Amino acid sequence: MAGPGAVSTDAIWRLPVTVCRITQFLGERTSGALLERAVASTDDTLKPSLIRDRELDLDLRRSRSRQDFAAPELLAAIEEVLPAVEHTLGVACQDTEPDYSLNVHNDGDYYRAHQDTTTEFSPRRLLTFVYYLHRTPRPFYGGELRVFDVALPLHTATAGRWEERSWRDWQPEHDSIVFFRPTAWHEVRPVNCPSRRHADSRFAVNGWLCSPDPAQGGKASSAGR
C-alpha cells in the first residue's frame, strides 16, 4: 500500500472535453429548408464515406457522404457565434476557411472512435462542428455523438487505455450544432432506422475551420472527407 502522500501508479486523471452545443440554431424555417435539401441528395451524389479522405474502411466507418453539399446559411450562422465558441474552447479561428460535407447515417451505420486531426493527418483543422438534421418525430434510434474524456495516468504523459476512459453522449437533435476541438476522441454510435428509408436518416453537416495551407499560398484547402 502506498504511504501517506504517495500517488498510486494506477491513478488516472479523467479530464472532460469541452463541447459547445446550441439548440434551435437556424430556426424552424431555415432548418426545414436545409433538411429538404439534404433529403433531396440522391445515390448519384452520395458516396461511401472515407477515412483520411481516401480510404474505405467499413470496420471503422459506415455511412454515405456528399462533398459538394451547399449550406451557406449554416456557415453564416456559425460566423455569428464564432467569437463565443472561440472563447469557450480556447481556440483562435481568424483567417480560416470551412471544409465540410453532408453525412448520412441509416440503419446499422456508425463511425468508430477517432480523432479529426493529428500531426500526421489534417493538422490544419482548428475547430470541428457538427450540425444535425432529421425529420420529426425522430425516425431513428441511436446515432449519438460520444465524446471521450481525456484519460491520463498520473505517472506518465501518455493517454490511457480505452477501457479507462469515460465519456458523454450528445443527442443528434434536429437543428442543433456542436463544436469541439478536432483532437478530441469521438464516435458516432450505431444508428437503428427501422424504415431504412433515406428520408428517415440521421443527416449531419460536419466539418472544420482550417488554417491556411502554406503550400497553396496561404489558402485553406476545401477538400472534405
Side-chain angles (χ1 to χ4, degrees), residues 55-154:
E55 302 173 22
L56 180 64
D57 184 347
L58 296 180
D59 290 331
L60 178 61
R61 185 183 192 188
R62 199 183 90 174
S63 62
R64 295 185 297 163
S65 301
R66 179 176 177 179
Q67 306 300 331
D68 62 348
F69 185 75
E73 60 272 67
L74 174 62
L75 297 182
I78 289 174
E79 187 69 24
E80 290 184 8
V81 301
L82 191 55
V85 173
E86 290 177 306
H87 176 76
T88 302
L89 296 182
V91 301
C93 297
Q94 292 85 0
D95 301 318
T96 56
E97 289 192 1
D99 170 9
Y100 67 95
S101 60
L102 174 69
N103 291 275
V104 183
H105 289 76
N106 203 274
D107 193 55
D109 289 345
Y110 51 79
Y111 196 169
R112 309 296 187 201
H114 64 285
Q115 293 171 293
D116 285 348
T117 186
T118 65
T119 55
E120 297 82 16
F121 173 64
S122 298
R124 295 184 297 100
R125 292 174 178 172
L126 302 180
L127 179 68
T128 293
F129 61 87
V130 188
Y131 175 73
Y132 298 105
L133 295 157
H134 61 75
R135 290 187 167 178
T136 53
R138 190 185 304 174
F140 60 86
Y141 306 93
E144 301 89 354
L145 171 69
R146 175 166 292 182
V147 180
F148 292 88
D149 297 336
V150 176
L152 298 175
L154 295 186

Side-chain angles (χ1 to χ4, degrees), residues 1 12 82 95 121-122 124 166 174 176 183-184 190-192 216:
M1 178 180 296
I12 299 292
L82 191 55
D95 301 318
F121 173 64
S122 298
R124 295 184 297 100
S166 51
H174 174 70
S176 68
T183 51
V191 172
N192 178 0
Q216 298 187 15

Side-chain angles (χ1 to χ4, degrees), residues 201-224:
S201 298
R202 172 195 185 272
F203 297 94
V205 179
N206 79 276
W208 311 270
L209 296 184
C210 303
S211 61
D213 183 358
Q216 298 187 15
K219 180 177 176 60
S221 170
S222 61

Side-chain angles (χ1 to χ4, degrees), residues 26-40 69-71 73 131 133 174:
L26 297 181
E28 182 177 356
R29 182 174 180 177
T30 303
S31 64
L34 192 57
L35 172 61
E36 292 310 310
R37 195 183 311 155
V39 170
F69 185 75
E73 60 272 67
Y131 175 73
L133 295 157
H174 174 70

